[in-house]
Amino acid sequence: MRRADYFAGLGEFIHVFSQVEAQLQYALWSEAGVSPEVAKAVFSGVRLDQGKSLIIRLQDATRKARNPVLERAFSQLTVLTNARNDIVHYGARFRGGGIEVSTAMAAHIPDRLRIIPIDEGTFRAMIADLYQIKWVIDLHIIGKGRTPPDYGKWVRQAAELPWQYTPPQQSPPQKPRQTPHPMRSRQRGASQE
C-alpha cells in the first residue's frame, strides 16, 4: 500500500466516522423527544460512547423494546471506534512496504497490545461498515417518522448485511514456562510411596 493511498483512506475513514457521530446525535435527540434547540443545549459535548449509552438508557427508561439491529450496529461501532482511536492516537508505522498501527508504546502489559495491519482493503471495509451503521441509525430515526417510508425498505435491507471489517485476532501473550521447584517435586515423589 502506498503512503498516498493510506492517507486518502484515512481521510475518508475519519470523514465518514464524523458523519456517523453527527447522525448518532440526531438519533439521540429523536430518542429523547426534544426539539433541536433543547437538544443542542442539553446534549452538546456528548461523545460517541456516551451517546450510544444514553440512547439505550432512554429506551430502558421509557420501557421501549431495544432494537437488536441498532444494538448490533453499536457493537460494530465500538470495534471501529477502538480502531480509530488506535490509528489517531498511536499513528501508523510504515515498514518495508507494510503498514501497521500498534499500541506498543502504551501497552503496559502484553494483554493490552493491539496491532492492526493496514492494507488496501482495511479502510474500504471500515468505511463500508460506517455507512451501514449510518443507515441503521437512519432507520432508527425513520421509525420516528422523519424520513419517507420508501427509503426505509432499502436501508432495512442494507442494515442486515454482514460486517466487512473484523479486527485482527491478537495473539495471546506467551506465559513463561514454570519449572518445578526441586523441593516440591521431591515432596510429591515421597508422598506417592
Side-chain angles (χ1 to χ4, degrees):
M1 175 178 219
R2 298 175 323 138
R3 285 177 182 245
D5 295 333
Y6 169 80
F7 289 114
L10 175 62
E12 185 177 358
F13 172 66
I14 296 297
H15 172 74
V16 177
F17 200 98
S18 69
Q19 290 180 325
V20 170
E21 286 180 303
Q23 197 65 14
L24 188 76
Q25 278 289 328
Y26 292 130
L28 177 57
W29 300 1
S30 176
E31 194 69 44
V34 297
S35 70
E37 295 77 24
V38 171
K40 289 174 190 177
V42 174
F43 298 124
S44 70
V46 170
R47 298 177 61 144
L48 191 72
D49 288 337
Q50 197 177 17
K52 292 185 304 186
S53 176
L54 286 171
I55 288 170
I56 291 169
R57 288 174 58 109
L58 284 164
Q59 290 173 347
D60 290 346
T62 57
R63 308 237 192 281
K64 291 181 187 169
R66 289 193 182 176
N67 178 344
V69 176
L70 186 64
E71 287 186 336
R72 177 178 173 267
F74 282 178
S75 292
Q76 184 66 4
L77 186 53
T78 298
V79 168
L80 295 172
T81 300
N82 291 339
R84 185 223 33 197
N85 289 345
D86 290 351
I87 293 166
V88 169
H89 297 295
Y90 302 109
R93 308 287 184 281
F94 299 87
R95 296 190 178 157
I99 301 172
E100 72 177 22
V101 173
S102 171
T103 60
M105 69 179 289
H108 64 290
I109 58 174
D111 288 354
R112 300 284 190 233
L113 177 64
R114 288 185 307 278
I115 298 172
I116 304 171
I118 306 286
D119 62 24
E120 290 79 9
T122 305
F123 285 127
R124 278 196 308 270
M126 290 176 168
I127 291 164
D129 286 355
L130 285 170
Y131 277 119
Q132 186 174 342
I133 291 165
K134 187 175 181 305
W135 295 329
V136 169
I137 295 170
D138 284 347
L139 183 58
H140 185 72
I141 295 170
I142 288 168
K144 307 238 179 262
R146 304 215 194 287
T147 309
D150 57 333
Y151 180 69
K153 181 179 178 186
W154 179 77
V155 171
R156 199 170 288 110
Q157 290 170 346
E160 295 176 2
L161 293 172
W163 299 119
Q164 299 299 305
Y165 176 75
T166 53
Q169 182 69 32
Q170 302 298 317
S171 300
Q174 297 294 322
K175 292 184 180 180
R177 285 188 96 186
Q178 294 183 346
T179 56
H181 190 274
M183 289 300 288
R184 288 191 189 131
S185 38
R186 276 190 231 148
Q187 289 173 344
R188 281 189 204 128
S191 65
Q192 292 174 352
E193 293 175 2

